Amino acid sequence: MTHSLWRLRSGPLPQEASAPQAVFTDVAFDNEAAVHWLRRTLQALKRNDIPVVCLLRSEDRREEVQAYALGATSVLPADASDEDILKAIDALKRRADIDLAVEPVRARIVQASSSFDHIMTAGRAGDAPCSQTLSDHANGVLAAVRQDGVKAWLHALRSYNDVTYQHCLTVTGLAAAFASRLGFGARDRLRLTRAAALHDIGKARIPLAILDKPGALTPAEWAVMRSHPLIGYDLLASRDGFCAEELAVVRSHHEMLDGSGYPDGLSGREIGDLVRLLTICDIYAALITPRPYKDGMPAADAYDIMVRMGGKLDGDMLAEFRHIRDDLAFDVTG
């Protein structure tokens, strides 16, 4: 395929005879002036149908979030070969025709990802996120799912590269859809969606070598990973702005009704309704979301596995969640 490319570093826009088929940038994101220039340049293009590939010079998640917020369509490491860049552009072009319908959803996901980054950045610093920022994020997800539907939300998330962020945004979208399905009022919808956005904040303190490991974890690594509910709870419990039910979700979303979960081995009535709802969303998201070491499951297969979990999950709530599964009448892993 022949390409007309613009490579943006600094200075005026290229004076091409025709518009480019793609733009890629290798601007340093730690240079405030360069980032300001890039933002103005991409806005000046005013061509949302032109792919923009940003080369990232570090593995910091904040750099990836910033790239998408500036208008990137895709990101690659700075040492990517020309062949890798051209392959990425070809893939974006081929996907363009089938993805036009979800572009507005992607824009909302970029916004949600940016606000979610503030939550995780606070967690990485050992601090609690601003409660208002959390509410703004949850309301944004609720509005997007209400306007676009959960199917479009999950479809657009398929192109998101960060596994932890993708999982958390998937859980939050599912929770927003589930709350609406159950007929929750506005206050309870917000409470469940806030809890979903918070549920894995403890992972912000888990070493990246474990969190992003491209393979199965060792028993020692699993022990570290399984500490994230208590880390998240301890992070938030002494801070204002988080209700008891939200804190319970953070601490107990891996508890099972038969007592086989962790960290406290709770069972039955010891596990509140909000936790039960979020646990269903969390497990379902984990099953359908692909990982570096495994493919995600089709929507129907994931639900069938959860049904076979029997007394571990709330049967009545899971029966209601079947309607969410029915809304996902496509393979979200494709």
Side-chain angles (χ1 to χ4, degrees), residues 145-334:
V145 171
R146 181 173 62 250
Q147 182 171 345
D148 305 311
V150 67
K151 179 165 73 173
W153 178 262
L154 298 192
H155 189 178
L157 275 173
R158 284 159 47 183
S159 63
Y160 202 82
N161 294 328
D162 187 285
V163 172
T164 300
Y165 279 37
Q166 184 187 42
H167 172 73
C168 289
L169 290 169
T170 298
V171 173
T172 309
L174 288 170
F178 201 11
S180 295
R181 172 67 204 176
L182 292 170
F184 282 7
R187 183 176 180 180
D188 288 335
R189 288 199 303 270
L190 177 61
R191 184 172 47 175
L192 179 59
T193 309
R194 275 174 51 107
L198 279 177
H199 84 283
D200 267 349
I201 192 172
K203 287 184 178 178
R205 305 288 287 174
I206 300 296
L208 288 178
I210 294 177
L211 200 61
D212 295 340
K213 183 177 179 181
L217 299 179
T218 67
E221 289 168 337
W222 263 119
V224 175
M225 180 68 85
R226 285 163 63 102
S227 69
H228 78 268
L230 289 178
I231 291 173
Y233 176 83
D234 290 342
L235 191 67
L236 303 176
S238 62
R239 312 299 174 93
D240 294 331
F242 308 100
C243 71
E245 288 177 298
E246 292 168 346
L247 294 175
V249 163
V250 172
R251 183 180 183 113
S252 304
H253 61 277
H254 286 293
E255 301 286 0
M256 298 289 137
L257 293 181
D258 64 357
S260 63
Y262 66 91
D264 300 308
L266 302 180
S267 64
R269 294 183 180 276
E270 294 176 305
I271 303 173
D273 287 347
L274 211 69
V275 175
R276 297 180 187 211
L277 290 169
L278 198 284
T279 297
I280 289 172
C281 296
D282 186 41
I283 294 173
Y284 193 73
L287 291 172
I288 66 175
T289 303
R291 295 287 190 268
Y293 53 88
K294 73 174 183 70
D295 293 331
M297 289 185 182
D301 293 351
Y303 183 81
D304 289 344
I305 283 181
M306 294 173 69
V307 170
R308 293 198 295 271
M309 290 175 68
K312 294 180 181 295
L313 302 175
D314 187 300
D316 292 337
M317 292 181 181
L318 187 59
E320 284 297 320
F321 193 80
R322 176 175 55 83
H323 299 285
I324 306 298
R325 179 210 64 182
D326 292 344
D327 287 341
L328 303 176
F330 69 99
D331 181 357
V332 296
T333 69

Side-chain angles (χ1 to χ4, degrees), residues 36-81:
H36 180 67
W37 170 85
L38 180 60
R39 181 181 292 109
R40 287 189 293 105
T41 300
L42 295 184
Q43 288 174 347
L45 288 173
K46 294 182 180 179
R47 289 291 304 273
N48 294 329
D49 57 331
I50 298 176
V52 177
V53 181
C54 280
L55 304 184
L56 304 183
R57 302 187 183 191
S58 81
E59 296 181 357
D60 192 329
R61 288 191 181 90
R62 286 170 291 186
E63 187 168 294
E64 180 179 346
V65 170
Q66 188 175 16
Y68 282 116
L70 287 171
T73 314
S74 184
V75 297
L76 289 172
D79 59 357
S81 66

